């Protein structure tokens, strides 16, 4: 499927799910500590797709869809193979874990009536593995580490990026900085990782890590971006790591293609000690 079509289906799908559920009965008020989302809603005999409230752990089962808005998950959110997960204006107390999630949109989701988008806080780690389509993180704070290893992502892994002048935006690949029906995809696209952001041994259509704040170390190593070969981007493009602020060291090596400028406002990353992530 064409990436542009896929991207719009993802965002329209989230908004459509929200509209359908927000207009109907809410989830049951008495929520179990461990929530499987979607749950069966006895009031309207459907699987609810929007979770609001408090839970201990939240599971998105294989092949299912779930959006959290105004939620407080005190421990972990786990998205299984083929799961579709969106989060906005919510807190995850410990980890956000993807085992081959089809789609994750964090800090991107909005609902009718002006609810959202809004910030997402992950109290410990984001962990991404397996095979996915779109993984997009905007307006998200990760208190410890953001770890990507052995990921096979067909379309885009976007972490931050607030530019409306780079190839991401002009080429209609945007995830964090666009608009749909007059509403922003994200109120604040950049991402904050308090400790380390590590992206290794993975493949993507496009990797876009921009305008983010990383407290300790950034590592982007032995990764492959494929959009150049698929004709979506010009030669040498698709591995974008720019405009990031790194507290200690930035280390990028073994990536194909090498890091490249994503557009006219792309600036070199800055790092407190050593910076090997330059285009």
């Amino acid at each position: 499927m064409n990436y542009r079509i896929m991207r719009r289906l993802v965002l329209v799908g989230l908004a459509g799910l929200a509209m359908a559920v927000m207009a109907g009965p809410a989830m049951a008020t008495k929520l179990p500590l461990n929530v499987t989302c979607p749950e069966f809603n006895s009031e309207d005999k459907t699987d609810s797709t929007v979770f609001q409230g408090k839970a201990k752990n939240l599971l998105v089962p294989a092949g299912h869809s779930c959006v959290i808005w105004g939620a407080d998950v005190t421990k972990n959110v786990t998205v299984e193979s083929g799961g579709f997960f969106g989060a906005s204006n919510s807190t995850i107390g410990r980890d956000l874990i993807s085992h081959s999630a089809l789609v994750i949109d964090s800090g991107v989701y909005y609902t009718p009536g002006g609810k959202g988008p809004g910030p997402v806080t992950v109290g410990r780690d984001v962990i991404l593995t397996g095979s996915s389509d779109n993984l997009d993180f905007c307006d998200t704070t990760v208190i410890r580490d953001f770890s990507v290893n052995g990921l096979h992502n067909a379309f885009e892994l976007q972490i931050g990026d607030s530019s409306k002048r780079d190839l991401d935006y002009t080429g209609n690949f945007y995830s964090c900085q666009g608009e749909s029906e007059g509403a922003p995809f994200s109120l604040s696209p950049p991402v904050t990782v308090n400790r380390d952001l590590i992206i290794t041994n993975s493949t993507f259509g496009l990797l876009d890590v921009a305008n983010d704040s990383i407290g300790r170390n950034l590592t982007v190593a032995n990764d492959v971006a494929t959009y150049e070969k698929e004709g979506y981007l010009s030669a040498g493009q698709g591995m974008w790591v720019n405009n990031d602020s790194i507290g200690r060291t930035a280390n990028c090596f073994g990536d194909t293609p090498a890091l490249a400028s994503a557009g006219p406002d792309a600036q070199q990353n800055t790092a407190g000690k050593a910076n090997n992530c330059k285009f």
Side-chain angles (χ1 to χ4, degrees):
M1 181 183 290
N2 186 291
Y3 178 89
R4 294 169 174 79
I5 297 174
M6 177 66 184
R7 178 67 242 166
R8 293 193 179 281
L9 285 176
V10 168
L11 292 166
V12 171
L14 278 172
L17 290 174
M19 190 174 294
V21 176
M22 298 294 283
M27 268 191 175
T29 55
K30 293 183 179 180
L31 297 171
L33 289 179
N34 294 313
V35 171
T36 298
C37 182
E39 289 187 326
F40 184 74
N41 188 332
S42 59
E43 294 183 10
D44 62 3
K45 310 300 183 185
T46 63
D47 281 345
S48 298
T49 55
V50 174
F51 176 81
Q52 300 180 78
K54 191 169 184 176
K56 184 176 180 181
N57 293 288
L58 186 140
L59 172 68
V60 183
H64 284 266
S65 301
C66 179
V67 171
I68 64 174
W69 186 88
D72 179 11
V73 181
T74 60
K75 289 192 175 180
N76 302 324
V77 170
T78 302
V79 188
E80 294 184 339
S81 178
F84 189 121
F85 177 69
S88 183
N89 193 35
S90 295
T91 298
I92 299 168
R94 293 189 180 177
D95 301 333
L96 170 56
I97 304 166
S98 165
H99 298 302
S100 296
L102 182 69
V103 172
I104 293 179
D105 273 338
S106 178
V108 184
Y109 168 67
Y110 71 94
T111 70
K115 293 184 177 181
V120 174
T121 299
V122 179
R124 295 201 310 196
D125 304 326
V126 172
I127 303 167
L128 308 179
T129 62
S131 298
S132 300
D133 276 0
N134 278 303
L135 301 173
D136 302 313
F137 293 82
C138 324
D139 203 1
T140 299
T141 298
V142 182
I143 301 303
R144 297 202 318 194
D145 301 324
F146 194 128
S147 175
V148 182
N149 185 50
L151 177 71
H152 300 281
N153 197 61
F155 297 105
E156 180 181 19
L157 171 60
Q158 179 163 348
I159 303 172
D161 194 351
S162 58
S163 173
K164 291 191 177 183
R165 298 181 63 202
D166 65 13
L167 297 175
D168 185 37
Y169 193 80
T170 60
N172 199 24
F173 300 122
Y174 53 78
S175 301
C176 295
Q177 67 274 48
E179 293 183 357
S180 178
E181 299 178 355
F185 291 168
S186 175
L187 297 179
S188 178
V191 168
T192 297
V193 179
N194 283 0
R195 298 203 318 196
D196 299 335
L197 172 56
I198 304 167
I199 305 173
T200 54
N201 306 309
S202 297
T203 61
F204 331 90
L206 168 65
L207 176 66
D208 186 0
V209 181
N211 306 103
D212 301 318
S213 176
I214 301 157
R216 297 198 312 196
N217 305 307
L218 168 67
T219 302
V220 180
N222 302 317
D223 300 309
V224 176
T226 63
Y227 268 9
E228 169 193 348
K229 295 180 180 179
E230 295 166 14
Y232 293 116
L233 292 169
S234 57
Q237 291 289 341
M239 192 73 67
W240 300 337
V241 182
N242 58 76
N243 295 74
D244 297 308
S245 175
I246 300 102
R248 295 184 184 175
T249 64
N251 199 15
C252 299
F253 60 89
D255 300 307
T256 304
L259 269 57
S261 170
D265 55 355
Q267 300 292 325
Q268 298 290 356
N269 303 296
T270 61
K273 292 186 177 181
N275 181 14
N276 188 37
C277 292
K278 298 180 179 180
F279 51 84

